[in-house]
Amino acid sequence: MPHTAPHYLAQGPRVAIRRFRMEDGGEFTARVSQSKDLHRPWLVMPDSDEAYATYAGRLIGDVGRAGFLVCERDTGDIAGFVNINNIVRGGFQCGALGYGAFAHAAGRGLMREGLELVIGYAFGPLGLHRLEINVQPGNTASIALARGAGFRLEGFSPAMIQVDGEWRDHERWALTTEMRDRD
């Protein structure tokens, strides 16, 4: 898919992160369609132009959210995404992460690198103090990603989040700036 030179917020050896744009809809929804088996039952993604416009519009226009595309540096292809939702300012300075790799990028370590870039951006320019990840207990790949990035398990919440029409149990993982500073 042809790409124009985007404005990257941070770059690593193999990936870079940038904000969502409306013009990413075609590639994003194509990647979603190719990745349905990978994402079910863990998350449901926008798979039409209209659904993408609504999804991306919230990430672009809501100060309580920040959406990042993880792109392969060599090609600019979208490998996945990391969103920071429910950003709370004041004394909390916290946000909840949601993320997913696309099938062509899964298992290549690209999301690990992208997540590290987003964490650095969240604790740096965004000024957050704490990040949380809520993961369904059976989603071993997502749990491994959270654990590998230094998140600690803080608890278990039954029927916490509705995914694909069902209220699902979730483990709660968290990372603070102090935890990162110790490493």
Side-chain angles (χ1 to χ4, degrees):
M1 295 178 190
H3 293 278
T4 58
H7 173 71
Y8 290 129
L9 301 168
Q11 298 183 48
R14 297 181 302 149
V15 303
I17 59 169
R18 65 177 174 81
R19 298 291 188 148
F20 276 75
R21 303 176 304 196
M22 286 302 182
E23 57 265 30
D24 294 315
E27 180 181 0
F28 192 90
T29 57
R31 298 283 186 211
V32 167
S33 293
Q34 297 161 0
S35 306
K36 283 191 187 283
D37 291 341
L38 179 65
H39 292 159
R40 294 286 170 130
W42 315 119
L43 67 142
V44 178
M45 297 301 305
D47 58 0
S48 69
D49 290 340
E50 182 178 278
Y52 176 81
T54 300
Y55 176 80
R58 284 193 300 259
L59 292 168
I60 294 167
D62 183 346
V63 296
R65 300 173 194 238
F68 304 91
L69 294 173
V70 176
C71 300
E72 296 184 61
R73 281 190 58 190
D74 291 346
T75 62
D77 291 348
I78 299 171
F81 61 92
V82 180
N83 299 330
I84 307 175
N85 299 297
N86 306 323
I87 295 172
V88 178
R89 295 298 184 172
F92 200 32
Q93 298 298 335
C94 181
L97 296 182
Y99 49 79
F102 291 123
H104 76 285
R108 296 173 43 205
L110 301 177
M111 286 303 296
R112 171 66 191 267
E113 188 177 323
L115 180 59
E116 288 292 336
L117 293 173
V118 171
I119 292 168
Y121 192 82
F123 288 160
L126 287 182
L128 296 179
H129 171 259
R130 176 184 172 89
L131 294 171
E132 300 176 351
I133 298 173
N134 298 298
V135 182
Q136 293 175 60
N139 190 342
T140 55
S142 188
I143 290 170
L145 187 60
R147 183 178 284 123
F151 284 74
R152 70 177 170 227
L153 179 62
E154 290 192 333
F156 175 82
S157 295
M160 180 180 183
I161 301 172
Q162 191 177 60
V163 179
D164 201 20
E166 291 185 37
W167 289 99
R168 299 182 190 264
D169 300 344
H170 281 73
E171 294 179 358
R172 296 185 323 277
W173 294 76
L175 180 69
T176 65
T177 55
E178 292 86 1
M179 292 166 64
R180 291 274 287 194
D181 291 343
R182 284 191 294 241
D183 293 339

